[in-house]
Amino acid sequence: MTVFRSIQYNLQNLRRFDGQDGKAVFLPYLMPVIYLVSIGFMLSIVPVALGVLGNSDNPGGSWIWSSLSCSLVVLVGIGLLAAAITRRLRDTGRSIIWAIPPFVLLLIAAGLMSYALAGMLSAGAPTDLFYAMFTVNLVYLVSLAPLAFHLNRDGSSEAG
């Protein structure tokens, strides 16, 4: 399946959590979504980053915009991937439970990021909240490993 057909198929099936999808349907959709979410996430922290660097007109309020936009980007990413990941996990014979920890940790990290960076604006040095956010991000990355392993397994729809 081509990338564009995979994207079209998965966008048309955003609300369909039943059934199974093979790697040929899932992987060409996954990568563009991850890239777009990553770009959106980076753009959403620009106001806080400018404040940390001292280049912002409103450094104190920039964390509000960043918190809202980070959370929105994460929710859009989850919305775009939830059904596809569910169908792919089902195809490999795994439970949706494998996807819950990364999604929850990503939401927590998104909420903490702007607050942690806002603390750096006022204190000028990393705070305990920054270290908490960093730790949550590390745990999130570790939780992605088993999910990625299961999503990349051969499933029933790939079998001959």
Side-chain angles (χ1 to χ4, degrees):
M1 178 174 280
T2 67
V3 172
F4 295 111
R5 289 188 68 209
S6 174
I7 291 171
Q8 179 184 15
Y9 169 82
N10 280 288
L11 289 176
Q12 289 172 342
N13 289 285
L14 281 178
R15 295 180 10 209
R16 186 178 68 83
F17 288 81
D18 60 337
Q20 301 175 348
D21 287 341
K23 283 192 286 189
V25 173
F26 177 72
L27 292 178
Y29 174 70
L30 176 68
M31 296 315 296
V33 170
I34 287 176
Y35 291 142
L36 290 174
V37 167
S38 297
I39 290 168
F41 202 62
M42 286 186 272
L43 290 174
S44 68
I45 64 169
V46 165
V48 172
L50 290 174
V52 170
L53 296 172
N55 296 330
S56 176
D57 294 335
N58 184 15
S62 60
W63 67 270
I64 296 170
W65 162 252
S66 285
S67 292
L68 293 173
S69 58
C70 282
S71 298
L72 180 64
V73 167
V74 168
L75 290 173
V76 167
I78 289 172
L80 289 172
L81 291 175
I85 288 174
T86 301
R87 291 190 306 268
R88 180 69 193 125
L89 284 171
R90 188 170 288 124
D91 184 56
T92 63
R94 299 293 179 255
S95 169
I96 187 64
I97 292 182
W98 287 101
I100 293 173
F103 285 141
V104 170
L105 290 166
L106 187 57
L107 284 172
I108 292 169
L112 287 176
M113 180 174 287
S114 298
Y115 292 111
L117 293 176
M120 288 176 61
L121 284 175
S122 59
T127 63
D128 290 340
L129 195 54
F130 177 82
Y131 294 119
M133 179 216 44
F134 186 77
T135 302
V136 169
N137 277 318
L138 287 178
V139 174
Y140 160 72
L141 291 173
V142 169
S143 75
L144 279 178
L147 177 62
F149 173 77
H150 292 306
L151 291 173
N152 196 39
R153 294 179 65 144
D154 288 336
S156 59
S157 65
E158 278 101 24

